[in-house]
């Protein structure tokens, strides 16, 4: 499919998460990443320096680093089986030109993507730079251009037709907060209760962005999952975790129904408390670090070529 040629402006209202949850290293001072009940002070006793996303003074250097991380993200999606045919896309807001984003070329396998394969797209839908294959998935453009326009805090957005996500999305409902992992999505995900086929029109992308609002994820009814983040790593972790939360809930609901009961939900107070440890941007980045380390060890230096 050819990318749109007409210049379009996305009119969705801009929104961002509350202060303290809108930056790559955001983390409440009284909570340690991914460890409910452990304070930052307690964490410092155990570790001299708690990891955080790298910072760059040179935007071009940052661009090259992030393109490498985005290529690793696609390799992780490929390993997890989040590829089916040519569906799925992950975008990175360009640090040099923030009104542009990098995305996978249409029809190139996730498991083979290199940093040099990525293509740079402006918000008019024109491919302005990138690898040898410059085919643009029009659905990727329509969804991601709207999301990036509506969310200035979002560095990365990911969407795929993962099996448990698309099974759960047929229910048209939010996740139940029944596990520690699902607390990362407590009051921080939405449902887009509509399906109008492949997203090929501007209005549908805007509607998805509006449904996402200031949250980290949206369940697209009859379609799949979409997650966003202030880092590539957090975005990928939110997607992988949400996919597993969907799987866990489908299994738990089936088991409960088979016994004539229902699952036990975590109280709003406990869910909100746990969210401060497992649902923050820094928690998402740190939780993804092992998967990125493993993938980098497995496919470097090829992936950075």
């Amino acid at each position: 499919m050819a990318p749109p040629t007409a210049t379009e402006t996305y009119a969705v209202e801009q929104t961002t998460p509350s202060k303290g949850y809108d930056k790559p290293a955001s983390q409440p001072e009284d909570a340690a990443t991914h460890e409910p009940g452990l304070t930052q002070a307690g964490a410092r006793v155990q570790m001299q320096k708690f990891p955080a996303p790298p910072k760059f003074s040179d935007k071009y250097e940052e661009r090259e680093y992030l393109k490498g991380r985005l290529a690793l993200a696609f390799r992780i999606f490929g390993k997890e089986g989040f590829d089916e045919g040519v569906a799925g896309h992950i975008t990175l807001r360009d640090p040099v030109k923030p009104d542009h984003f990098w995305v996978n070329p249409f029809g190139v396998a996730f498991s083979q993507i290199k940093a040099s394969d990525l293509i740079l797209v402006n918000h008019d839908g024109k491919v302005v730079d990138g690898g040898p294959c410059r085919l643009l998935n029009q659905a990727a453009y329509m969804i991601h251009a709207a999301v990036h326009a509506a969310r200035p805090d979002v560095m990365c957005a990911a969407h795929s037709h993962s099996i448990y996500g698309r099974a759960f999305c047929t229910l048209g409902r939010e996740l139940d907060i029944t596990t520690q992992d699902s607390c990362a999505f407590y009051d921080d995900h939405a449902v887009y209760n509509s399906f109008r086929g492949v997203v090929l029109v501007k209005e549908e992308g805007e509607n998805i962005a509006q449904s996402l609002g200031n949250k980290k994820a949206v369940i697209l009814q009859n379609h799949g999952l979409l997650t966003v983040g202030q880092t590539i790593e957090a975005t990928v972790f939110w997607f992988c975790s949400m996919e597993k939360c969907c799987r866990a809930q489908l299994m738990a609901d089936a088991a409960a129904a088979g016994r004539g009961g229902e699952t036990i939900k975590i109280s709003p107070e406990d869910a909100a408390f746990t969210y401060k440890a497992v649902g923050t941007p820094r928690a998402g980045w740190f939780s993804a670090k092992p998967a990125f380390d493993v993938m980098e060890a497995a496919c470097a230096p090829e992936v950075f070529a």
Side-chain angles (χ1 to χ4, degrees):
M1 299 177 186
T5 55
T7 298
E8 298 178 316
T9 301
Y10 282 83
V12 289
E13 182 180 353
Q14 288 192 346
T15 182
T16 57
S18 60
K19 187 177 181 181
Y21 293 91
D22 59 346
K23 304 295 181 184
S26 291
Q27 183 75 12
E29 293 183 0
D30 61 345
T33 301
H34 223 71
E35 288 296 332
L38 179 64
T39 64
Q40 286 282 14
R44 291 190 188 100
V45 170
Q46 299 173 36
M47 291 188 296
Q48 292 298 310
K49 185 177 180 181
F50 203 78
K55 296 180 180 180
F56 296 85
S57 57
D58 185 326
K59 291 297 182 182
Y60 289 93
E61 181 183 356
E62 182 179 8
R63 171 193 275 177
E64 292 309 306
Y65 172 80
L66 292 177
K67 286 176 64 180
R69 303 302 279 181
L70 183 58
L72 288 173
F74 282 112
R75 299 288 182 114
I76 290 171
F77 264 36
K79 179 181 178 181
E80 294 292 333
F82 297 158
D83 51 350
E84 180 161 338
V86 296
H89 19 85
I90 311 174
T91 54
L92 162 70
R93 187 189 298 275
D94 184 52
V96 178
K97 298 178 178 180
D99 59 344
H100 291 53
F101 58 82
W102 295 90
V103 67
N104 50 308
F106 202 21
V108 177
F110 286 179
S111 59
Q112 295 182 331
I113 286 180
K114 303 185 297 291
S116 58
D117 290 322
L118 301 170
I119 57 176
L120 182 63
V121 182
N122 66 21
H123 275 258
D124 298 327
K126 181 180 179 181
V127 178
V128 298
D129 198 0
C133 175
R134 297 196 175 186
L135 290 177
L136 173 63
N137 182 333
Q138 190 171 348
Y141 165 73
M142 291 299 179
I143 295 173
H144 291 257
V147 169
H148 282 290
R151 290 285 298 276
D153 66 300
V154 164
M155 176 62 73
C156 181
H159 167 65
S160 178
H161 300 175
S162 53
I163 185 65
Y164 296 104
R166 74 184 194 222
F168 186 83
C169 77
T170 64
L171 305 176
R173 56 178 291 191
E174 293 183 6
L175 287 169
D176 289 335
I177 307 303
T178 55
T179 65
Q180 176 176 308
D181 301 289
S182 65
C183 287
F185 302 99
Y186 174 71
D187 199 26
D188 203 12
H189 73 290
V191 177
Y192 178 53
N193 292 118
S194 179
F195 178 74
R196 299 178 181 176
V198 179
V199 182
L200 301 178
V201 296
K202 173 174 173 282
E203 180 184 6
E204 187 74 348
E206 291 179 344
N207 290 340
I208 290 172
Q210 292 283 23
S211 292
L212 172 67
N214 67 349
K215 302 181 186 303
K216 67 161 62 85
V218 59
I219 296 170
L220 308 176
Q221 184 176 296
N222 304 112
H223 189 172
L225 309 178
L226 185 144
T227 60
V228 300
Q230 288 73 28
T231 60
I232 296 168
E233 293 86 352
T235 304
V236 168
F237 181 75
W238 300 141
F239 192 97
C240 293
S241 183
M242 193 171 216
E243 167 74 357
K244 291 177 181 178
C245 285
C246 288
R247 180 180 185 180
Q249 184 167 337
L250 290 167
M251 295 169 66
D253 282 347
R259 296 173 63 87
E262 60 180 44
T263 57
I264 298 172
K265 315 302 188 291
I266 295 174
S267 71
E269 295 78 14
D270 289 338
F273 174 77
T274 306
Y275 175 88
K276 292 181 180 180
V278 303
T280 64
R282 190 168 178 180
W285 173 85
F286 186 60
S287 297
K289 184 178 180 297
F292 276 77
D293 289 346
V294 169
M295 187 55 67
E296 182 173 355
C299 61
E302 175 203 6
V303 69
F304 301 120

